[in-house]
Structure formats: C-alpha cells, structure tokens
Amino acid sequence: MKIENSTVVTEFILLGLTQSRNIQLLVFVLILIFYLIILPGNFLIIFTIRSDPGLTAPLYFFLGNLAFLDASYSFIVAPRMLVDFLSEKKVISYRGCITQLFFLHFLGGGEGLLLVVMAFDRYIAICRPLHYSTVMNPRTCYALLLALWLGGFVHSIIQVAFILRLPFCGPNQLDNFFCDVAQVIKLACTDTFLVELLMVFNSGLLTLLCFLGLLASYAVILCRVRGSASEGKSKALSTCTTHVIIIFLMFGPAIFIYTCPFRALSANKVVSFFHTVIFPLMNPVIYTLRNQEVRASMRRVLSRHVIC
C-alpha cells in the first residue's frame, strides 16, 4: 500500500499539555529558565571534556556524549512546545510529526544504550581494574559509541516504518504536546492491535529489560565496592550512585509511558513532560555536581576565558 494513497491526513492538531492559560504560562517560564541556565551548562560540560587533556578517561568520553545526546534530545520537543504556548492553533504537519517521532526515539534509544555502555565501563573499572586499560581502549570506546548510535537508529526506524504503513484518513487531534507512537497509532483508520503489540515489545519491553539489567549490574558493582578497602572506594560509590540516579530518571518515566502505552492516564502528559523536557537537561548537570574532576576542570576553563 502506498503511503500517498493511504494517508489523507496532512497535519495533526496538538491539544497541548493543558488548556489552562495560567499553567501554560508557568510551564513556559519554567522551560525558558531551564533553557537559559542548564542548556549552556551542558554545552560547557562538552567543551570542558573536549578541551581538558586531564579528562581523557572513557568515563568522561561517555559523559561528554551523554551531554551531547541530552542537549540534542531537548531540542526535539521543548522549542516547539514554547512556540505552541504562544499560538492559538497548535498544528504539526504529518511529515513534521513523523520526523519528531523518529528523532525522539533515535536519540532516546541511543541514550538508553549509552547508559548500558557506561555501566559496562564502570564494571570493568571496578571489578576488573587490571584489565581496564586493555579492554576500554580508544578503539573500543569508539566502537561502542558507533554501536549505540546504530542501535538507536534501528530502534527508531522500526517505529517509523510501522507507522508509515498505517492509513490516516479521519481524526487528526493528538491528545498530547508532541508526537509519540501511542497517540499517533490511535488515529489510524485500521485495526492496530498487531502494531500496538510490536510497539510495546520494541519500546516497553526492551526499556524494562534494560532497566532491570542495569540495576542488577550496579547492584553487583556496589557490592564489590563495599567489600573493598581501596582508596578510591568513596569515589567509586559516588560515581555509581550518580549513574543509578540517572537510570531512574531516564528509565522510570519511559517504563511508565511505554510498557502500557495505549492506556489513557491523566498522569501521562506530566510524566512525558518531565521525560522529554526537564530530565534530559538535568542528567549531565547531576553528573557534574557529583564529579570533583569535572567541576575543577570547569572552573579552570571558566577562569581562563574570564581572564582572557
């Protein structure tokens, strides 16, 4: 079936986060503050890691990529959301909706896999320290980075491929402030039961399995750290604790949204808002606040540029 013949809908109407103008104004100000304060901080993290020769360890290499992914992820939903707050009619084209959905899952899937890679890095560093420099060499790091980008692409293209095959010929109102799989599929003019099952498997089940696997791996790492008497014990505990916090921020809302994505809950929009707008900007900042080396390096970078 050709897409041109099956898709009559050319645009979708976004109902938004809320109909209350007061709440919209509050959210607008909140997002703007986050963008003006925290987003530049994410770019500062990337610049610091790239410019400081003392931050060449794989941990910082992956942290810089996390900051880049999160900064990119924040551009998918939030800017359009800010514009929609100022618009009477919140409309997104069919192609724009599919594009937004693709990048949302491309970068989101890549970040989930990056957290898995970071867990692997911490496991080797703490549980196999003598083999760390051999295993986590630059070639391996770049290979892992390529693998997570490809994994995110495959995860996302599967979502898009199934949606492109669906006919949209009637309702075009999305009960959300952005395009996502569950809301778009509901508008299809055909039976979507099989597609819904495939989407739950591709997003919900994989997210849940990654989350449980990450928690299990960090439980093993933390048990190993607590049983050791090395000098870097407190640093390792701090790093792993930070990773666990990010895992909950990343996977908690995703599990809530995608394990049962076709149910209608009033909390879905709120969870989606924090998942797509707030948490991505906060993740690298949380890492930085708990990492003395990055904080010290950022101070040096800022002092050099202030003096210049």
Side-chain angles (χ1 to χ4, degrees):
M1 183 182 294
K2 293 183 179 180
I3 299 170
E4 290 80 0
N5 295 335
S6 63
T7 302
V8 177
V9 172
T10 59
E11 64 181 24
F12 294 104
I13 298 173
L14 301 173
L15 298 183
L17 182 65
T18 177
Q19 299 303 314
S20 170
R21 294 299 300 177
N22 291 332
I23 297 178
Q24 286 184 17
L25 179 61
L26 177 63
V27 174
F28 180 88
V29 173
L30 178 64
I31 297 174
L32 200 58
I33 291 173
F34 263 78
Y35 256 69
L36 294 177
I37 297 177
I38 299 182
L39 188 60
N42 285 358
F43 287 118
L44 177 60
I45 294 170
I46 298 172
F47 178 74
T48 300
I49 292 174
R50 295 283 296 176
S51 61
D52 192 336
L55 300 178
T56 56
L59 171 65
Y60 305 114
F61 172 75
F62 294 127
L63 175 57
N65 280 277
L66 177 69
F68 174 76
L69 274 172
D70 278 327
S72 303
Y73 192 85
S74 68
F75 282 110
I76 300 173
V77 175
R80 184 178 186 88
M81 191 178 181
L82 289 172
V83 173
D84 285 343
F85 281 143
L86 305 176
S87 306
E88 288 296 327
K89 192 176 182 182
K90 303 170 178 61
V91 176
I92 184 170
S93 68
Y94 175 80
R95 291 179 181 271
C97 182
I98 297 300
T99 301
Q100 187 181 69
L101 191 151
F102 169 78
F103 282 104
L104 191 74
H105 286 271
F106 174 42
L107 297 176
E111 182 172 346
L113 293 174
L114 177 57
L115 293 178
V116 173
V117 169
M118 294 176 79
F120 175 73
D121 171 70
R122 290 301 85 199
Y123 174 81
I124 299 298
I126 295 171
C127 299
R128 299 287 186 272
L130 297 179
H131 303 281
Y132 184 72
S133 59
T134 304
V135 175
M136 298 303 295
N137 57 65
R139 184 175 179 179
T140 301
C141 292
Y142 281 107
L144 290 171
L145 186 65
L146 176 62
L148 69 89
W149 279 101
L150 287 175
F153 177 81
V154 171
H155 162 73
S156 184
I157 205 67
I158 290 173
Q159 312 267 26
V160 171
F162 279 113
I163 290 178
L164 287 176
R165 294 177 62 87
L166 295 175
F168 297 93
C169 52
N172 68 337
Q173 288 190 340
L174 289 172
D175 187 18
N176 214 328
F177 55 92
F178 69 104
C179 286
D180 204 1
V181 177
Q183 289 78 28
V184 174
I185 287 180
K186 288 177 184 177
L187 301 181
C189 305
T190 186
D191 181 18
T192 59
F193 178 74
L194 181 59
V195 177
E196 290 178 13
L197 286 181
L198 291 171
M199 294 300 183
V200 169
F201 175 78
N202 187 40
S203 290
L205 184 60
L206 288 180
T207 301
L208 182 61
L209 290 176
C210 283
F211 175 71
L212 295 176
L214 284 168
L215 287 186
S217 65
Y218 276 111
V220 172
I221 294 172
L222 289 172
C223 288
R224 180 67 176 265
V225 170
R226 288 186 179 277
S228 67
S230 62
E231 295 179 359
K233 180 178 178 178
S234 60
K235 180 181 176 181
L237 280 173
S238 176
T239 302
C240 291
T241 303
T242 305
H243 284 209
V244 172
I245 292 172
I246 301 300
I247 288 168
F248 274 100
L249 290 179
M250 169 72 183
F251 285 95
I255 291 171
F256 181 85
I257 296 168
Y258 296 115
T259 49
C260 297
F262 304 99
R263 62 188 176 180
L265 294 178
S266 57
N268 277 5
K269 287 185 182 181
V270 178
V271 175
S272 296
F273 170 69
F274 281 95
H275 180 59
T276 58
V277 179
I278 302 299
F279 289 156
L281 292 170
M282 291 179 61
N283 288 348
V285 176
I286 293 173
Y287 267 108
T288 304
L289 292 175
R290 295 180 61 89
N291 191 298
Q292 294 181 358
E293 286 83 358
V294 177
R295 289 204 309 271
S297 181
M298 288 177 69
R299 283 195 293 268
R300 288 195 298 270
V301 170
L302 288 173
S303 62
R304 283 202 303 268
H305 283 78
V306 168
I307 293 172
C308 292

